[in-house]
Amino acid sequence: MRIRVVGAGPAGLLFALLAKRRFPDWDIAVTEQNPPDATFGFGVVFSQGALAFLERDAPDLHAALAARMESWPMQRIVHRGEAVDIDGNGFSAIARLQLIQFLQALCRAEGVGLAFGRRLDALPEADLVVGADGLNSVVRGTPGFAPKIEWLTNRFVWYGTRQRFECLTLTFRDSAQGAFVAHHYRYSPEMSTFIVECDAATWQRAGLDRMGDAESRAYCERVFAADLGGHALVSNNSTWRQFPLLSNAVWSAGNRVLVGDALRSMHFSIGSGTRLAFEDAIALDRALGEAGEDVPAALAAFERERRPVVEKLFTAAAASSWWYEEFPARMARFDALRLAYDYMTRSGRMSDERLCALAPNFMSRIKKGS
Ligand SMILES: Cc1cc2nc3c(=O)[nH]c(=O)nc-3n(C[C@H](O)[C@H](O)[C@H](O)COP(=O)(O)OP(=O)(O)OC[C@H]3O[C@@H](n4cnc5c(N)ncnc54)[C@H](O)[C@@H]3O)c2cc1C
């Protein structure tokens, strides 16, 4: 059995690792367009307990990540200069590059073929081709798939900074040109992720559509001066983008299957893209474990198991992204406490009862109204 994986992100690497462990005699190789030490973005964040699912299928990966992660027990909302903590809403974070390189090392040790610096434009010969090639997937562009993409109108840019933040924080700031929000958290003892977002009109009024990297960073440093504590923003090919809500009616075509971001996007505000990429990899490996070399049966089983979970989360992530599309109006309407409550209930899946159980201190403030 010959399997070719396109893309060495979290989905492609974890799938290759698990499948090779299960079937050591199979010929499994991954092709990646970038060098092994390159990656986009900075850290990635996981909601508390979100990695527990890794314990069964990849205990060594789970232990390594748990040992390296920065964790904290609450989330913070900063608005009009006031900070509101939401207890119980904990997260953990790690550098994306560290995560990827750890997976690379495990793959190498297991005998997975890894080829870097090679962009695939035509599909490789194989019994199974796994499209783990992210949002702009080449595999998804081959006949038989039916992607649907809707572009959010907000603009965002993914920076880093040496400022250490205590926990995952959403900071809302006004500028003369309009409203901005930053999603920020530390992902290592020295570094934090700092994603800046604003609506399209603000982006244009601020001239960010015409600015280069240095000017754009300087502008954001001024907007978030009170939060950055004198630290600069750091770029990693950081450009202003619009987020695509991508879904796929067809998950596999012939011997080709999509996983991770190639299959669908999850808005970064729910911090689940990497976890879902991992879960796809685990589900595809398990489906092969049951079906063996019967590729059509494995792909059908993979879709049967994953589609309901993915569709539910996609709906929640889309609801979360729509909240951000309207955040300037919400900033104007609510004080910090009310904005935090509005934020926590944005997906429509969080009842007051659940929120009381999750965040009793926060909810007692809400009930008191201050
Ligand atoms: C601003 C932002 C913040 C985010 N924050 C978080 C977060 O905090 N937590 C979280 O869980 N997720 C986060 N995500 C989402 C997360 O990054 C993705 O969901 C996750 O990386 C998906 O993994 P993947 O393996 O499917 O795809 P990717 O990580 O995109 O990997 C795909 C790989 O395929 C390679 N590739 C593409 N085309 C080809 C080709 N033709 N030939 C060879 N190689 C190719 C790419 O170079 C890349 O390495 C964030 C995303 C964004 C945009």
Side-chain angles (χ1 to χ4, degrees), residues 7-14 32 34-40 42 44 61 65 94-108 114 116 274 278:
L13 288 173
L14 183 62
E32 166 60 45
N34 288 328
D37 56 354
T39 186
F40 64 88
F42 291 88
V44 285
L61 177 62
L65 295 184
I94 192 165
R96 182 180 148 97
L97 185 58
Q98 201 176 14
L99 181 148
I100 296 282
Q101 289 189 327
F102 192 72
L103 273 166
Q104 290 171 4
L106 291 179
C107 281
R108 266 190 216 100
L114 296 180
F116 290 95
T274 308
F278 278 163

PDB file of all heavy atoms in Angstrom, residues 7-14 32 34-40 42 44 61 65 94-108 114 116 274 278:
ATOM      1  N   GLY A   7       1.335  18.021   2.184  1.00  0.00           N
ATOM      2  CA  GLY A   7       1.267  19.019   3.258  1.00  0.00           C
ATOM      3  C   GLY A   7       1.698  18.457   4.604  1.00  0.00           C
ATOM      4  O   GLY A   7       1.137  17.467   5.076  1.00  0.00           O
ATOM      5  N   ALA A   8       2.734  19.086   5.203  1.00  0.00           N
ATOM      6  CA  ALA A   8       3.252  18.634   6.505  1.00  0.00           C
ATOM      7  C   ALA A   8       2.859  19.611   7.603  1.00  0.00           C
ATOM      8  O   ALA A   8       3.690  20.124   8.347  1.00  0.00           O
ATOM      9  CB  ALA A   8       4.770  18.464   6.445  1.00  0.00           C
ATOM     10  N   GLY A   9       1.555  19.885   7.701  1.00  0.00           N
ATOM     11  CA  GLY A   9       1.008  20.628   8.847  1.00  0.00           C
ATOM     12  C   GLY A   9       0.581  19.612   9.906  1.00  0.00           C
ATOM     13  O   GLY A   9       0.911  18.420   9.798  1.00  0.00           O
ATOM     14  N   PRO A  10      -0.162  20.045  10.914  1.00  0.00           N
ATOM     15  CA  PRO A  10      -0.588  19.124  11.963  1.00  0.00           C
ATOM     16  C   PRO A  10      -1.366  17.916  11.431  1.00  0.00           C
ATOM     17  O   PRO A  10      -1.146  16.784  11.883  1.00  0.00           O
ATOM     18  CB  PRO A  10      -1.487  19.990  12.858  1.00  0.00           C
ATOM     19  CG  PRO A  10      -1.080  21.398  12.579  1.00  0.00           C
ATOM     20  CD  PRO A  10      -0.571  21.441  11.184  1.00  0.00           C
ATOM     21  N   ALA A  11      -2.264  18.121  10.464  1.00  0.00           N
ATOM     22  CA  ALA A  11      -3.096  17.018   9.970  1.00  0.00           C
ATOM     23  C   ALA A  11      -2.248  15.977   9.233  1.00  0.00           C
ATOM     24  O   ALA A  11      -2.331  14.778   9.516  1.00  0.00           O
ATOM     25  CB  ALA A  11      -4.192  17.551   9.040  1.00  0.00           C
ATOM     26  N   GLY A  12      -1.438  16.434   8.283  1.00  0.00           N
ATOM     27  CA  GLY A  12      -0.655  15.508   7.451  1.00  0.00           C
ATOM     28  C   GLY A  12       0.359  14.725   8.269  1.00  0.00           C
ATOM     29  O   GLY A  12       0.507  13.502   8.104  1.00  0.00           O
ATOM     30  N   LEU A  13       1.053  15.411   9.160  1.00  0.00           N
ATOM     31  CA  LEU A  13       2.107  14.735   9.943  1.00  0.00           C
ATOM     32  C   LEU A  13       1.512  13.736  10.918  1.00  0.00           C
ATOM     33  O   LEU A  13       2.010  12.611  11.046  1.00  0.00           O
ATOM     34  CB  LEU A  13       2.948  15.778  10.698  1.00  0.00           C
ATOM     35  CG  LEU A  13       3.884  16.623   9.818  1.00  0.00           C
ATOM     36  CD1 LEU A  13       4.527  17.742  10.645  1.00  0.00           C
ATOM     37  CD2 LEU A  13       4.976  15.760   9.172  1.00  0.00           C
ATOM     38  N   LEU A  14       0.441  14.116  11.607  1.00  0.00           N
ATOM     39  CA  LEU A  14      -0.112  13.174  12.591  1.00  0.00           C
ATOM     40  C   LEU A  14      -0.708  11.958  11.882  1.00  0.00           C
ATOM     41  O   LEU A  14      -0.520  10.826  12.317  1.00  0.00           O
ATOM     42  CB  LEU A  14      -1.170  13.836  13.479  1.00  0.00           C
ATOM     43  CG  LEU A  14      -1.709  12.886  14.563  1.00  0.00           C
ATOM     44  CD1 LEU A  14      -0.601  12.440  15.532  1.00  0.00           C
ATOM     45  CD2 LEU A  14      -2.847  13.523  15.364  1.00  0.00           C
ATOM     46  N   GLU A  32       6.111  18.458   1.462  1.00  0.00           N
ATOM     47  CA  GLU A  32       5.811  19.789   2.003  1.00  0.00           C
ATOM     48  C   GLU A  32       6.535  20.845   1.167  1.00  0.00           C
ATOM     49  O   GLU A  32       7.718  20.696   0.866  1.00  0.00           O
ATOM     50  CB  GLU A  32       6.249  19.848   3.475  1.00  0.00           C
ATOM     51  CG  GLU A  32       6.322  21.228   4.097  1.00  0.00           C
ATOM     52  CD  GLU A  32       4.993  21.992   4.095  1.00  0.00           C
ATOM     53  OE1 GLU A  32       3.948  21.416   4.435  1.00  0.00           O
ATOM     54  OE2 GLU A  32       5.023  23.186   3.718  1.00  0.00           O
ATOM     55  N   ASN A  34       7.315  23.937   2.077  1.00  0.00           N
ATOM     56  CA  ASN A  34       8.231  24.782   2.854  1.00  0.00           C
ATOM     57  C   ASN A  34       9.390  23.971   3.420  1.00  0.00           C
ATOM     58  O   ASN A  34       9.288  22.754   3.544  1.00  0.00           O
ATOM     59  CB  ASN A  34       7.468  25.432   4.019  1.00  0.00           C
ATOM     60  CG  ASN A  34       6.514  26.508   3.534  1.00  0.00           C
ATOM     61  OD1 ASN A  34       6.788  27.178   2.539  1.00  0.00           O
ATOM     62  ND2 ASN A  34       5.399  26.655   4.206  1.00  0.00           N
ATOM     63  N   PRO A  35      10.457  24.657   3.858  1.00  0.00           N
ATOM     64  CA  PRO A  35      11.504  23.951   4.584  1.00  0.00           C
ATOM     65  C   PRO A  35      10.998  23.472   5.950  1.00  0.00           C
ATOM     66  O   PRO A  35       9.968  23.967   6.423  1.00  0.00           O
ATOM     67  CB  PRO A  35      12.609  25.006   4.765  1.00  0.00           C
ATOM     68  CG  PRO A  35      12.117  26.258   4.176  1.00  0.00           C
ATOM     69  CD  PRO A  35      10.738  26.071   3.648  1.00  0.00           C
ATOM     70  N   PRO A  36      11.727  22.536   6.588  1.00  0.00           N
ATOM     71  CA  PRO A  36      11.218  21.965   7.844  1.00  0.00           C
ATOM     72  C   PRO A  36      11.141  22.957   8.996  1.00  0.00           C
ATOM     73  O   PRO A  36      10.422  22.739   9.964  1.00  0.00           O
ATOM     74  CB  PRO A  36      12.227  20.853   8.182  1.00  0.00           C
ATOM     75  CG  PRO A  36      13.411  21.107   7.329  1.00  0.00           C
ATOM     76  CD  PRO A  36      12.963  21.872   6.141  1.00  0.00           C
ATOM     77  N   ASP A  37      11.897  24.065   8.900  1.00  0.00           N
ATOM     78  CA  ASP A  37      11.915  25.014  10.027  1.00  0.00           C
ATOM     79  C   ASP A  37      11.112  26.276   9.733  1.00  0.00           C
ATOM     80  O   ASP A  37      11.293  27.300  10.377  1.00  0.00           O
ATOM     81  CB  ASP A  37      13.356  25.371  10.386  1.00  0.00           C
ATOM     82  CG  ASP A  37      14.100  25.932   9.189  1.00  0.00           C
ATOM     83  OD1 ASP A  37      13.505  25.929   8.075  1.00  0.00           O
ATOM     84  OD2 ASP A  37      15.244  26.360   9.341  1.00  0.00           O
ATOM     85  N   ALA A  38      10.224  26.206   8.730  1.00  0.00           N
ATOM     86  CA  ALA A  38       9.410  27.392   8.410  1.00  0.00           C
ATOM     87  C   ALA A  38       7.969  27.119   8.791  1.00  0.00           C
ATOM     88  O   ALA A  38       7.484  26.006   8.672  1.00  0.00           O
ATOM     89  CB  ALA A  38       9.484  27.681   6.913  1.00  0.00           C
ATOM     90  N   THR A  39       7.308  28.145   9.269  1.00  0.00           N
ATOM     91  CA  THR A  39       5.865  28.003   9.476  1.00  0.00           C
ATOM     92  C   THR A  39       5.238  29.382   9.501  1.00  0.00           C
ATOM     93  O   THR A  39       5.932  30.375   9.713  1.00  0.00           O
ATOM     94  CB  THR A  39       5.546  27.261  10.788  1.00  0.00           C
ATOM     95  OG1 THR A  39       4.131  27.036  10.839  1.00  0.00           O
ATOM     96  CG2 THR A  39       5.958  28.040  12.024  1.00  0.00           C
ATOM     97  N   PHE A  40       3.931  29.426   9.254  1.00  0.00           N
ATOM     98  CA  PHE A  40       3.260  30.717   9.353  1.00  0.00           C
ATOM     99  C   PHE A  40       2.765  30.897  10.778  1.00  0.00           C
ATOM    100  O   PHE A  40       2.623  29.928  11.527  1.00  0.00           O
ATOM    101  CB  PHE A  40       2.110  30.819   8.346  1.00  0.00           C
ATOM    102  CG  PHE A  40       0.997  29.834   8.573  1.00  0.00           C
ATOM    103  CD1 PHE A  40      -0.055  30.129   9.427  1.00  0.00           C
ATOM    104  CD2 PHE A  40       0.993  28.605   7.919  1.00  0.00           C
ATOM    105  CE1 PHE A  40      -1.085  29.227   9.631  1.00  0.00           C
ATOM    106  CE2 PHE A  40      -0.041  27.685   8.130  1.00  0.00           C
ATOM    107  CZ  PHE A  40      -1.073  27.998   8.986  1.00  0.00           C
ATOM    108  N   PHE A  42       2.440  32.160  14.807  1.00  0.00           N
ATOM    109  CA  PHE A  42       3.291  32.076  15.994  1.00  0.00           C
ATOM    110  C   PHE A  42       2.837  30.904  16.852  1.00  0.00           C
ATOM    111  O   PHE A  42       3.233  29.778  16.598  1.00  0.00           O
ATOM    112  CB  PHE A  42       3.251  33.409  16.745  1.00  0.00           C
ATOM    113  CG  PHE A  42       3.945  34.494  15.956  1.00  0.00           C
ATOM    114  CD1 PHE A  42       3.263  35.260  15.007  1.00  0.00           C
ATOM    115  CD2 PHE A  42       5.297  34.720  16.124  1.00  0.00           C
ATOM    116  CE1 PHE A  42       3.911  36.227  14.265  1.00  0.00           C
ATOM    117  CE2 PHE A  42       5.949  35.688  15.386  1.00  0.00           C
ATOM    118  CZ  PHE A  42       5.251  36.440  14.452  1.00  0.00           C
ATOM    119  N   VAL A  44      -0.250  28.494  18.797  1.00  0.00           N
ATOM    120  CA  VAL A  44      -1.652  28.089  18.657  1.00  0.00           C
ATOM    121  C   VAL A  44      -2.190  27.764  20.040  1.00  0.00           C
ATOM    122  O   VAL A  44      -1.458  27.313  20.918  1.00  0.00           O
ATOM    123  CB  VAL A  44      -1.853  26.875  17.709  1.00  0.00           C
ATOM    124  CG1 VAL A  44      -1.695  27.282  16.270  1.00  0.00           C
ATOM    125  CG2 VAL A  44      -0.935  25.728  18.063  1.00  0.00           C
ATOM    126  N   LEU A  61       3.064  12.056  21.942  1.00  0.00           N
ATOM    127  CA  LEU A  61       2.828  13.430  21.487  1.00  0.00           C
ATOM    128  C   LEU A  61       2.078  14.212  22.574  1.00  0.00           C
ATOM    129  O   LEU A  61       2.441  15.344  22.900  1.00  0.00           O
ATOM    130  CB  LEU A  61       2.009  13.406  20.185  1.00  0.00           C
ATOM    131  CG  LEU A  61       1.615  14.759  19.617  1.00  0.00           C
ATOM    132  CD1 LEU A  61       2.838  15.586  19.252  1.00  0.00           C
ATOM    133  CD2 LEU A  61       0.720  14.600  18.380  1.00  0.00           C
ATOM    134  N   LEU A  65       3.558  17.555  24.401  1.00  0.00           N
ATOM    135  CA  LEU A  65       2.865  18.847  24.295  1.00  0.00           C
ATOM    136  C   LEU A  65       2.490  19.355  25.683  1.00  0.00           C
ATOM    137  O   LEU A  65       2.710  20.525  26.007  1.00  0.00           O
ATOM    138  CB  LEU A  65       1.602  18.721  23.435  1.00  0.00           C
ATOM    139  CG  LEU A  65       1.810  18.368  21.959  1.00  0.00           C
ATOM    140  CD1 LEU A  65       0.481  18.384  21.217  1.00  0.00           C
ATOM    141  CD2 LEU A  65       2.766  19.348  21.297  1.00  0.00           C
ATOM    142  N   ILE A  94       0.998  26.638  22.595  1.00  0.00           N
ATOM    143  CA  ILE A  94       2.355  26.188  22.255  1.00  0.00           C
ATOM    144  C   ILE A  94       2.759  26.845  20.938  1.00  0.00           C
ATOM    145  O   ILE A  94       1.884  27.227  20.141  1.00  0.00           O
ATOM    146  CB  ILE A  94       2.398  24.638  22.150  1.00  0.00           C
ATOM    147  CG1 ILE A  94       3.845  24.143  22.081  1.00  0.00           C
ATOM    148  CG2 ILE A  94       1.593  24.126  20.968  1.00  0.00           C
ATOM    149  CD1 ILE A  94       4.016  22.666  22.332  1.00  0.00           C
ATOM    150  N   ALA A  95       4.071  26.974  20.725  1.00  0.00           N
ATOM    151  CA  ALA A  95       4.536  27.510  19.449  1.00  0.00           C
ATOM    152  C   ALA A  95       4.166  26.533  18.334  1.00  0.00           C
ATOM    153  O   ALA A  95       4.396  25.328  18.474  1.00  0.00           O
ATOM    154  CB  ALA A  95       6.051  27.700  19.471  1.00  0.00           C
ATOM    155  N   ARG A  96       3.613  27.066  17.256  1.00  0.00           N
ATOM    156  CA  ARG A  96       3.234  26.177  16.156  1.00  0.00           C
ATOM    157  C   ARG A  96       4.449  25.440  15.617  1.00  0.00           C
ATOM    158  O   ARG A  96       4.392  24.249  15.317  1.00  0.00           O
ATOM    159  CB  ARG A  96       2.557  27.007  15.051  1.00  0.00           C
ATOM    160  CG  ARG A  96       2.086  26.159  13.880  1.00  0.00           C
ATOM    161  CD  ARG A  96       1.420  26.979  12.809  1.00  0.00           C
ATOM    162  NE  ARG A  96       1.668  26.381  11.515  1.00  0.00           N
ATOM    163  CZ  ARG A  96       0.830  25.574  10.881  1.00  0.00           C
ATOM    164  NH1 ARG A  96      -0.317  25.269  11.403  1.00  0.00           N
ATOM    165  NH2 ARG A  96       1.150  25.066   9.702  1.00  0.00           N
ATOM    166  N   LEU A  97       5.583  26.149  15.518  1.00  0.00           N
ATOM    167  CA  LEU A  97       6.789  25.516  14.959  1.00  0.00           C
ATOM    168  C   LEU A  97       7.266  24.359  15.845  1.00  0.00           C
ATOM    169  O   LEU A  97       7.671  23.311  15.351  1.00  0.00           O
ATOM    170  CB  LEU A  97       7.900  26.566  14.794  1.00  0.00           C
ATOM    171  CG  LEU A  97       9.160  26.062  14.110  1.00  0.00           C
ATOM    172  CD1 LEU A  97       8.859  25.498  12.723  1.00  0.00           C
ATOM    173  CD2 LEU A  97      10.204  27.184  13.992  1.00  0.00           C
ATOM    174  N   GLN A  98       7.199  24.567  17.149  1.00  0.00           N
ATOM    175  CA  GLN A  98       7.626  23.508  18.077  1.00  0.00           C
ATOM    176  C   GLN A  98       6.742  22.262  17.911  1.00  0.00           C
ATOM    177  O   GLN A  98       7.236  21.137  17.864  1.00  0.00           O
ATOM    178  CB  GLN A  98       7.499  24.051  19.507  1.00  0.00           C
ATOM    179  CG  GLN A  98       8.342  23.309  20.491  1.00  0.00           C
ATOM    180  CD  GLN A  98       8.264  23.929  21.888  1.00  0.00           C
ATOM    181  OE1 GLN A  98       7.398  24.748  22.188  1.00  0.00           O
ATOM    182  NE2 GLN A  98       9.168  23.527  22.741  1.00  0.00           N
ATOM    183  N   LEU A  99       5.456  22.497  17.792  1.00  0.00           N
ATOM    184  CA  LEU A  99       4.518  21.391  17.606  1.00  0.00           C
ATOM    185  C   LEU A  99       4.826  20.624  16.310  1.00  0.00           C
ATOM    186  O   LEU A  99       4.906  19.396  16.286  1.00  0.00           O
ATOM    187  CB  LEU A  99       3.102  21.965  17.586  1.00  0.00           C
ATOM    188  CG  LEU A  99       1.912  21.031  17.437  1.00  0.00           C
ATOM    189  CD1 LEU A  99       0.725  21.601  18.195  1.00  0.00           C
ATOM    190  CD2 LEU A  99       1.508  20.867  16.002  1.00  0.00           C
ATOM    191  N   ILE A 100       5.033  21.390  15.239  1.00  0.00           N
ATOM    192  CA  ILE A 100       5.295  20.781  13.929  1.00  0.00           C
ATOM    193  C   ILE A 100       6.620  20.009  13.961  1.00  0.00           C
ATOM    194  O   ILE A 100       6.719  18.891  13.444  1.00  0.00           O
ATOM    195  CB  ILE A 100       5.385  21.908  12.853  1.00  0.00           C
ATOM    196  CG1 ILE A 100       4.050  22.633  12.722  1.00  0.00           C
ATOM    197  CG2 ILE A 100       5.876  21.391  11.524  1.00  0.00           C
ATOM    198  CD1 ILE A 100       3.030  21.912  11.934  1.00  0.00           C
ATOM    199  N   GLN A 101       7.644  20.605  14.561  1.00  0.00           N
ATOM    200  CA  GLN A 101       8.961  19.953  14.540  1.00  0.00           C
ATOM    201  C   GLN A 101       8.969  18.700  15.424  1.00  0.00           C
ATOM    202  O   GLN A 101       9.665  17.738  15.126  1.00  0.00           O
ATOM    203  CB  GLN A 101      10.048  20.944  14.955  1.00  0.00           C
ATOM    204  CG  GLN A 101      10.261  21.979  13.840  1.00  0.00           C
ATOM    205  CD  GLN A 101      11.468  22.866  14.063  1.00  0.00           C
ATOM    206  OE1 GLN A 101      11.805  23.183  15.201  1.00  0.00           O
ATOM    207  NE2 GLN A 101      12.093  23.290  12.976  1.00  0.00           N
ATOM    208  N   PHE A 102       8.185  18.722  16.472  1.00  0.00           N
ATOM    209  CA  PHE A 102       8.095  17.518  17.297  1.00  0.00           C
ATOM    210  C   PHE A 102       7.446  16.388  16.493  1.00  0.00           C
ATOM    211  O   PHE A 102       7.913  15.244  16.502  1.00  0.00           O
ATOM    212  CB  PHE A 102       7.312  17.827  18.578  1.00  0.00           C
ATOM    213  CG  PHE A 102       7.434  16.728  19.570  1.00  0.00           C
ATOM    214  CD1 PHE A 102       8.636  16.526  20.242  1.00  0.00           C
ATOM    215  CD2 PHE A 102       6.385  15.862  19.804  1.00  0.00           C
ATOM    216  CE1 PHE A 102       8.768  15.473  21.142  1.00  0.00           C
ATOM    217  CE2 PHE A 102       6.515  14.818  20.704  1.00  0.00           C
ATOM    218  CZ  PHE A 102       7.705  14.622  21.376  1.00  0.00           C
ATOM    219  N   LEU A 103       6.396  16.730  15.769  1.00  0.00           N
ATOM    220  CA  LEU A 103       5.744  15.723  14.916  1.00  0.00           C
ATOM    221  C   LEU A 103       6.682  15.216  13.819  1.00  0.00           C
ATOM    222  O   LEU A 103       6.702  14.027  13.504  1.00  0.00           O
ATOM    223  CB  LEU A 103       4.491  16.339  14.274  1.00  0.00           C
ATOM    224  CG  LEU A 103       3.217  16.243  15.097  1.00  0.00           C
ATOM    225  CD1 LEU A 103       2.145  17.162  14.543  1.00  0.00           C
ATOM    226  CD2 LEU A 103       2.708  14.801  15.097  1.00  0.00           C
ATOM    227  N   GLN A 104       7.461  16.135  13.246  1.00  0.00           N
ATOM    228  CA  GLN A 104       8.430  15.721  12.210  1.00  0.00           C
ATOM    229  C   GLN A 104       9.392  14.667  12.768  1.00  0.00           C
ATOM    230  O   GLN A 104       9.678  13.651  12.130  1.00  0.00           O
ATOM    231  CB  GLN A 104       9.256  16.913  11.727  1.00  0.00           C
ATOM    232  CG  GLN A 104       8.503  17.939  10.907  1.00  0.00           C
ATOM    233  CD  GLN A 104       9.346  19.187  10.652  1.00  0.00           C
ATOM    234  OE1 GLN A 104      10.522  19.258  11.017  1.00  0.00           O
ATOM    235  NE2 GLN A 104       8.741  20.184  10.026  1.00  0.00           N
ATOM    236  N   ALA A 105       9.886  14.931  14.007  1.00  0.00           N
ATOM    237  CA  ALA A 105      10.868  14.006  14.604  1.00  0.00           C
ATOM    238  C   ALA A 105      10.232  12.631  14.840  1.00  0.00           C
ATOM    239  O   ALA A 105      10.854  11.594  14.560  1.00  0.00           O
ATOM    240  CB  ALA A 105      11.382  14.590  15.921  1.00  0.00           C
ATOM    241  N   LEU A 106       8.987  12.620  15.309  1.00  0.00           N
ATOM    242  CA  LEU A 106       8.317  11.331  15.537  1.00  0.00           C
ATOM    243  C   LEU A 106       8.132  10.598  14.210  1.00  0.00           C
ATOM    244  O   LEU A 106       8.311   9.382  14.127  1.00  0.00           O
ATOM    245  CB  LEU A 106       6.958  11.558  16.206  1.00  0.00           C
ATOM    246  CG  LEU A 106       6.964  12.062  17.652  1.00  0.00           C
ATOM    247  CD1 LEU A 106       5.532  12.264  18.151  1.00  0.00           C
ATOM    248  CD2 LEU A 106       7.692  11.089  18.577  1.00  0.00           C
ATOM    249  N   CYS A 107       7.771  11.335  13.157  1.00  0.00           N
ATOM    250  CA  CYS A 107       7.571  10.716  11.834  1.00  0.00           C
ATOM    251  C   CYS A 107       8.877  10.094  11.327  1.00  0.00           C
ATOM    252  O   CYS A 107       8.897   8.955  10.850  1.00  0.00           O
ATOM    253  CB  CYS A 107       7.087  11.764  10.822  1.00  0.00           C
ATOM    254  SG  CYS A 107       5.345  12.131  10.951  1.00  0.00           S
ATOM    255  N   ARG A 108       9.958  10.859  11.452  1.00  0.00           N
ATOM    256  CA  ARG A 108      11.268  10.347  10.997  1.00  0.00           C
ATOM    257  C   ARG A 108      11.626   9.071  11.744  1.00  0.00           C
ATOM    258  O   ARG A 108      12.047   8.084  11.138  1.00  0.00           O
ATOM    259  CB  ARG A 108      12.346  11.402  11.242  1.00  0.00           C
ATOM    260  CG  ARG A 108      12.575  12.256  10.033  1.00  0.00           C
ATOM    261  CD  ARG A 108      13.802  13.146  10.164  1.00  0.00           C
ATOM    262  NE  ARG A 108      13.497  14.398   9.514  1.00  0.00           N
ATOM    263  CZ  ARG A 108      13.127  15.508  10.144  1.00  0.00           C
ATOM    264  NH1 ARG A 108      13.078  15.554  11.462  1.00  0.00           N
ATOM    265  NH2 ARG A 108      12.840  16.588   9.455  1.00  0.00           N
ATOM    266  N   LEU A 114       9.816  11.999   4.497  1.00  0.00           N
ATOM    267  CA  LEU A 114       9.471  13.430   4.571  1.00  0.00           C
ATOM    268  C   LEU A 114      10.288  14.177   3.525  1.00  0.00           C
ATOM    269  O   LEU A 114      11.517  14.133   3.549  1.00  0.00           O
ATOM    270  CB  LEU A 114       9.794  14.006   5.957  1.00  0.00           C
ATOM    271  CG  LEU A 114       9.035  13.479   7.173  1.00  0.00           C
ATOM    272  CD1 LEU A 114       9.506  14.171   8.447  1.00  0.00           C
ATOM    273  CD2 LEU A 114       7.527  13.684   7.004  1.00  0.00           C
ATOM    274  N   PHE A 116      10.860  17.986   2.025  1.00  0.00           N
ATOM    275  CA  PHE A 116      10.555  19.407   2.231  1.00  0.00           C
ATOM    276  C   PHE A 116      11.004  20.228   1.020  1.00  0.00           C
ATOM    277  O   PHE A 116      11.797  19.777   0.190  1.00  0.00           O
ATOM    278  CB  PHE A 116      11.248  19.908   3.497  1.00  0.00           C
ATOM    279  CG  PHE A 116      10.652  19.331   4.745  1.00  0.00           C
ATOM    280  CD1 PHE A 116      11.207  18.201   5.347  1.00  0.00           C
ATOM    281  CD2 PHE A 116       9.506  19.886   5.305  1.00  0.00           C
ATOM    282  CE1 PHE A 116      10.635  17.653   6.483  1.00  0.00           C
ATOM    283  CE2 PHE A 116       8.931  19.342   6.442  1.00  0.00           C
ATOM    284  CZ  PHE A 116       9.493  18.219   7.028  1.00  0.00           C
ATOM    285  N   THR A 274      -6.415  23.415  14.895  1.00  0.00           N
ATOM    286  CA  THR A 274      -5.369  22.399  15.010  1.00  0.00           C
ATOM    287  C   THR A 274      -5.935  21.129  15.646  1.00  0.00           C
ATOM    288  O   THR A 274      -5.628  20.017  15.217  1.00  0.00           O
ATOM    289  CB  THR A 274      -4.189  22.945  15.838  1.00  0.00           C
ATOM    290  OG1 THR A 274      -3.801  24.201  15.274  1.00  0.00           O
ATOM    291  CG2 THR A 274      -3.021  21.994  15.830  1.00  0.00           C
ATOM    292  N   PHE A 278      -6.011  17.425  13.973  1.00  0.00           N
ATOM    293  CA  PHE A 278      -5.535  16.210  14.654  1.00  0.00           C
ATOM    294  C   PHE A 278      -6.631  15.137  14.675  1.00  0.00           C
ATOM    295  O   PHE A 278      -6.385  13.960  14.443  1.00  0.00           O
ATOM    296  CB  PHE A 278      -5.145  16.535  16.103  1.00  0.00           C
ATOM    297  CG  PHE A 278      -3.772  17.121  16.265  1.00  0.00           C
ATOM    298  CD1 PHE A 278      -3.429  17.789  17.441  1.00  0.00           C
ATOM    299  CD2 PHE A 278      -2.802  16.987  15.285  1.00  0.00           C
ATOM    300  CE1 PHE A 278      -2.157  18.319  17.624  1.00  0.00           C
ATOM    301  CE2 PHE A 278      -1.525  17.516  15.458  1.00  0.00           C
ATOM    302  CZ  PHE A 278      -1.198  18.176  16.634  1.00  0.00           C
TER     303      PHE A 278
END
